[in-house]
């Protein structure tokens, strides 16, 4: 399945400005039109560089998600004794209005 | 000697004998900062009132504190400290300036030990960089040649220690960000095993690669600080429950019979001639001290940067998602939608390099590309881990250069991100494997620029790294040299 994905994926070394625009949308970033070409070229150069990883034979190799053996670390579902910061102190960090211990944001419905 | 020029070990002796006070040490560092920081630009937030208040507490009740009582330090601008501005040197945490309502675990450990926080030092924005040039506060200048960079991303930390603005500094190392600036500035800097030191309360960049470590004037000082900050933290699930050795007591062991590997791939074309000769001379010194040197091969070295520059941006794209101007950060003009609020805040608040890494990470994780980029990089990471494991079956430690060249000029890599990434040539494989490694001074270029020696050991073998470094430092004097400021 992994090898099929590589076979059918678009060329790894030719990112287009449309793909940059789409990626920016996903990342909640706006790139000015005047900067799109430069950004596309720079990111393309980075992707060209990292494409060398395709040379490495990784057949049958598991992904390394962690390297110190710490996986599925659990703790007791118990209240911490010491409060690190009060809710009000945390809310005070917001640049938006805080009403009734809640941060008021623009509408999610646009 | 001016108090600001003391090492931690020297200052501790004077404090114990009551020949110096914490307040004197703090005032001396404060004066030093005022005298030199205009040309170095290391310090970004001053905590002088807080530092004097803490110093008075330590002086009046020293018995309530620990090994670092009275020792002034500076922290990279990503260590949350209650009441002290902490902004990751990014516009997105300014206007209003983010002032944390809590402290990182390491900050709390140092406070309990009696160390005194003087404030925050410069970093590349969100620690993304190898030169401290992407900081919202402008670049930190190398105290050895102010037309050159101090390295990055812990450039402020390294420069501050080199310039004697503090007795030690805190840094972070994700892909070389402690070791490289330490090498450029002639100070000691250690990247401990991943999971050795808690990352709680430290602004994350790449969560499987970030580590915390001290930058100090000597190897002994490094051992003192590491002892104080290492250990399991319930608030950081990636810290491992292993006892913290008395690193200071292990220093003197010596390296007789220690098998040290020298990877041939670290001495390939492109290595600056002065770096090669200094590092080879350092290896001869280690041999004279009793180490058994042998050449080894780490063929995956050339893929380490590429592996890092896939995994790191992917993790960055996730960690940077929280910076949306809602719970903290940049105030944006009233938006009519949440979506445009996010876009406005993030586009104005993040610098070019941060945005670039977010874009690469988002792309590499997106549907259709995930397997070819991210999954592939994680497989290569597994191979790098295996390569180190196999190497450490034959040798106890590995040494080599820190950087391909000494410190480069400010602006040298402008507009060329790949050229900047190549500065990390010898520094990105170790984070893949989570192994401890350190940079110590080992020479000077013909231009009078510092050159660092990198020492690596298997996971949890910080003693081996420190013993090797100490054995070298004991019979050389590179670490005693100071820049003229």
């Amino acid at each position: 399945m992994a090898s099929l994905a590589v076979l059918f994926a678009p060329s790894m070394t030719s990112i287009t400005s449309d793909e940059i625009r789409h990626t920016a949308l996903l990342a909640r970033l706006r790139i000015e039109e005047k900067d799109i070409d430069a950004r596309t070229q720079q990111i393309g150069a980075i992707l060209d560089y990292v494409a060398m990883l395709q040379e490495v034979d990784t057949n049958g190799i598991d992904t390394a998600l962690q390297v110190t053996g710490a996986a599925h670390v659990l703790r007791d579902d118990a209240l911490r004794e010491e409060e690190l910061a009060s809710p009000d102190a945390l809310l005070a960090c917001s640049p938006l209005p805080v009403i009734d211990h809640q941060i008021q944001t623009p509408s999610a419905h646009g | 000697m001016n108090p600001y020029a003391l090492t931690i070990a020297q200052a501790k002796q004077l404090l114990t004998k009551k020949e110096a006070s914490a307040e004197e040490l703090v005032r001396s560092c404060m004066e030093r900062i005022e005298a030199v920081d205009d040309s170095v630009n290391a310090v970004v937030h001053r905590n002088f009132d807080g530092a004097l208040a803490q110093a008075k507490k330590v002086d009046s009740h020293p018995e309530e504190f620990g090994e670092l009582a009275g020792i002034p330090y500076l922290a990279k601008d990503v260590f949350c400290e209650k009441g002290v501005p902490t902004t990751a040197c990014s516009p997105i945490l300014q206007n209003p300036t983010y002032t944390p309502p809590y402290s990182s675990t390491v900050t709390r450990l140092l406070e309990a030990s009696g160390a005194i926080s003087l404030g925050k030092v410069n970093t590349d924005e969100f620690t993304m960089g190898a030169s401290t040039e992407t900081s919202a506060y402008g670049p930190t200048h190398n105290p050895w040649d102010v037309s050159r960079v101090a390295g990055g991303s812990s450039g402020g930390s390294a420069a501050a220690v080199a310039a004697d603005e503090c007795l030690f500094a805190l840094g972070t190392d994700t892909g070389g960000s402690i070791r490289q600036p330490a090498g450029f500035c002639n100070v000691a800097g250690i990247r401990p095993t991943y999971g050795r030191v808690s990352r709680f309360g430290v602004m994350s960049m790449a969560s499987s690669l970030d580590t915390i470590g001290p930058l100090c004037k000597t190897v002994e000082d490094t051992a003192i600080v590491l002892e104080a900050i290492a250990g399991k933290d319930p608030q950081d699930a990636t810290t491992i429950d292993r006892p913290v050795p008395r690193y200071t007591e292990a220093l003197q062991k010596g390296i007789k019979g220690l098998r040290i590997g020298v990877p041939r791939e670290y001495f390939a074309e492109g290595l600056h001639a002065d770096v090669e000769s200094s590092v080879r001379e350092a290896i001869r010194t280690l041999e004279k001290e009793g180490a058994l040197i042998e050449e080894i091969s780490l063929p995956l070295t050339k893929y380490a940067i590429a592996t890092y520059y896939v995994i790191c941006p992917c993790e960055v794209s996730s960690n940077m998602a929280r910076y949306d101007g809602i719970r903290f950060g940049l105030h944006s003009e009233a938006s009519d939608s949440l979506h445009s609020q996010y876009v406005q805040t993030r586009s104005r608040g993040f610098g070019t390099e941060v945005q670039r890494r977010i874009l690469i990470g988002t792309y590499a994780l997106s549907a259709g590309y995930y397997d070819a980029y991210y999954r592939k990089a994680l497989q290569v990471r597994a191979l790098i881990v295996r390569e180190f494991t196999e190497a450490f079956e034959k040798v106890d430690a590995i040494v080599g250069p820190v950087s391909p060249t000494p410190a480069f000029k400010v602006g040298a890599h402008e507009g060329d991100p790949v050229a900047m990434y190549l500065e990390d040539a010898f520094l990105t494989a170790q984070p893949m494997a989570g192994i401890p490694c350190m940079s110590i001074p080992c020479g000077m270029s013909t231009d009078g620029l510092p050159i660092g020696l990198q020492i690596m050991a298997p996971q949890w073998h910080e003693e081996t790294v420190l013993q090797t470094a100490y054995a070298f430092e004991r019979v050389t004097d590179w670490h005693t040299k100071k820049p003229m400021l």
Side-chain angles (χ1 to χ4, degrees), chain B residues 429-476:
Chain B
Q430 304 81 14
M432 293 299 133
I435 62 173
C437 39
M438 180 169 190
S439 172
I440 53 166
C442 79
M444 291 280 165
S445 72
T446 46
D447 295 336
L449 298 169
I451 293 167
L453 173 73
Q454 186 175 197
I455 303 165
M456 308 160 224
Q459 284 185 7
W460 311 110
H461 286 243
E462 279 81 354
E463 292 110 305
T464 305
V465 173
L466 292 163
Q467 279 155 12
T468 308
Y470 190 77
F472 177 82
E473 191 191 71
R474 221 175 41 87
V475 295
T476 56

Side-chain angles (χ1 to χ4, degrees), chain B residues 181-223:
Chain B
F184 279 4
C185 292
N186 208 60
V187 301
I190 190 165
R191 179 201 160 95
T193 307
Y194 179 84
R196 180 75 281 187
V197 180
S198 171
R199 293 177 296 112
F200 179 79
V202 184
M203 294 171 184
S204 297
M205 177 186 162
S207 302
S208 81
L209 300 165
D210 287 348
T211 58
I212 311 290
L215 291 94
C216 301
K217 303 179 190 182
T218 65
V219 177
E220 181 181 12
D221 283 4
T222 308

Side-chain angles (χ1 to χ4, degrees), chain B residues 349-476:
Chain B
F350 285 136
T352 309
E353 180 60 29
V354 172
Q355 292 197 29
R356 206 161 25 223
R357 295 205 195 187
I358 292 172
L359 288 169
I360 292 170
T362 305
Y363 181 77
L365 289 169
S366 63
Y369 296 104
Y370 177 97
D371 283 344
Y373 286 104
Y374 184 60
R375 191 165 182 281
K376 182 72 176 180
L378 289 181
Q379 289 174 303
V380 178
R381 182 173 189 176
L383 290 174
I384 292 173
V385 173
R386 189 171 80 184
E387 188 170 86
F388 273 117
T389 306
E390 287 168 358
F392 285 126
E393 281 161 15
K394 294 186 272 191
V395 297
D396 306 305
I398 297 171
V399 300
V402 174
S403 300
T405 67
F408 46 92
K409 293 271 189 192
V410 174
H413 295 315
E414 197 168 324
D416 191 351
V418 176
M420 189 68 85
Y421 296 168
L422 294 174
E423 291 291 340
D424 296 333
F426 310 127
L427 302 169
T428 46
Q430 304 81 14
M432 293 299 133
I435 62 173
C437 39
M438 180 169 190
S439 172
I440 53 166
C442 79
M444 291 280 165
S445 72
T446 46
D447 295 336
L449 298 169
I451 293 167
L453 173 73
Q454 186 175 197
I455 303 165
M456 308 160 224
Q459 284 185 7
W460 311 110
H461 286 243
E462 279 81 354
E463 292 110 305
T464 305
V465 173
L466 292 163
Q467 279 155 12
T468 308
Y470 190 77
F472 177 82
E473 191 191 71
R474 221 175 41 87
V475 295
T476 56

Side-chain angles (χ1 to χ4, degrees), chain B residues 61-375:
Chain B
H61 294 287
E63 70 287 353
E64 285 173 15
F65 298 96
E67 294 299 325
L68 287 168
I71 307 295
Y73 78 99
L74 286 159
K76 192 172 186 179
D77 194 26
V78 290
F79 286 80
C80 284
E81 184 174 351
K82 187 169 176 176
V84 179
T86 311
T87 66
C89 294
S90 174
I92 213 168
L93 284 178
Q94 293 171 43
N95 300 310
T97 303
Y98 179 65
T99 304
Y102 69 100
S103 291
S104 71
T105 294
V106 169
T107 303
R108 281 149 57 99
L109 287 169
L110 287 174
E111 192 178 335
S113 186
I116 298 171
S117 162
L118 293 164
K120 299 281 184 269
V121 281
N122 210 4
T123 165
D124 280 295
E125 187 184 354
F126 281 107
T127 78
M128 296 184 214
S131 64
T132 312
E133 287 176 289
T134 65
S135 165
Y137 299 105
T140 292
H141 298 271
N142 195 314
W144 294 87
D145 176 345
V146 297
S147 73
R148 294 177 186 268
V149 300
S153 56
S154 308
S157 310
V161 175
D164 286 324
E165 292 178 279
C166 54
L167 268 56
F168 74 96
L170 288 179
T172 64
D173 188 306
T174 304
S177 289
I178 285 175
R179 293 163 286 156
Q180 188 251 36
F184 279 4
C185 292
N186 208 60
V187 301
I190 190 165
R191 179 201 160 95
T193 307
Y194 179 84
R196 180 75 281 187
V197 180
S198 171
R199 293 177 296 112
F200 179 79
V202 184
M203 294 171 184
S204 297
M205 177 186 162
S207 302
S208 81
L209 300 165
D210 287 348
T211 58
I212 311 290
L215 291 94
C216 301
K217 303 179 190 182
T218 65
V219 177
E220 181 181 12
D221 283 4
T222 308
I224 296 171
V225 182
L226 188 59
E227 259 179 54
I229 63 175
K232 170 116 187 101
D233 179 14
Q235 287 164 307
D236 176 354
T238 61
T239 54
I240 303 294
D241 199 357
R242 285 176 76 108
V244 180
R246 295 301 310 266
Y247 297 120
T248 44
E249 283 166 20
L251 288 175
Q252 315 264 0
K253 185 173 169 202
I255 54 173
K256 210 158 159 32
L258 193 76
R259 302 166 302 163
I260 297 184
V262 178
R264 73 172 71 98
E265 291 81 5
Y266 283 45
F267 292 86
E269 196 190 303
L271 188 62
H272 190 279
D274 292 348
V275 171
E276 174 152 15
S277 60
S278 293
V279 172
R280 292 239 185 249
E281 182 60 37
I283 294 170
R284 277 190 288 276
T285 302
L286 293 172
E287 200 170 27
K288 277 193 227 128
E289 292 306 298
L292 305 169
I293 309 293
E294 67 181 88
E295 192 185 68
I296 62 171
S297 177
L298 298 173
L300 290 172
T301 299
K302 67 178 187 169
Y303 298 109
I305 297 179
T307 315
Y308 176 82
Y309 279 104
V310 172
I311 296 175
C312 173
C314 287
E315 295 184 0
V316 158
S317 71
S318 173
N319 278 325
M320 294 298 115
R322 72 193 66 184
Y323 300 104
D324 55 11
I326 306 290
R327 286 165 296 156
F328 32 71
L330 186 61
H331 179 84
S332 285
E333 286 148 29
S335 302
D336 44 18
S337 76
L338 197 55
H339 177 94
S340 70
Q341 156 97 22
Y342 289 153
V343 173
Q344 222 198 107
T345 305
R346 290 162 65 78
S347 305
R348 279 177 52 219
F350 285 136
T352 309
E353 180 60 29
V354 172
Q355 292 197 29
R356 206 161 25 223
R357 295 205 195 187
I358 292 172
L359 288 169
I360 292 170
T362 305
Y363 181 77
L365 289 169
S366 63
Y369 296 104
Y370 177 97
D371 283 344
Y373 286 104
Y374 184 60
R375 191 165 182 281

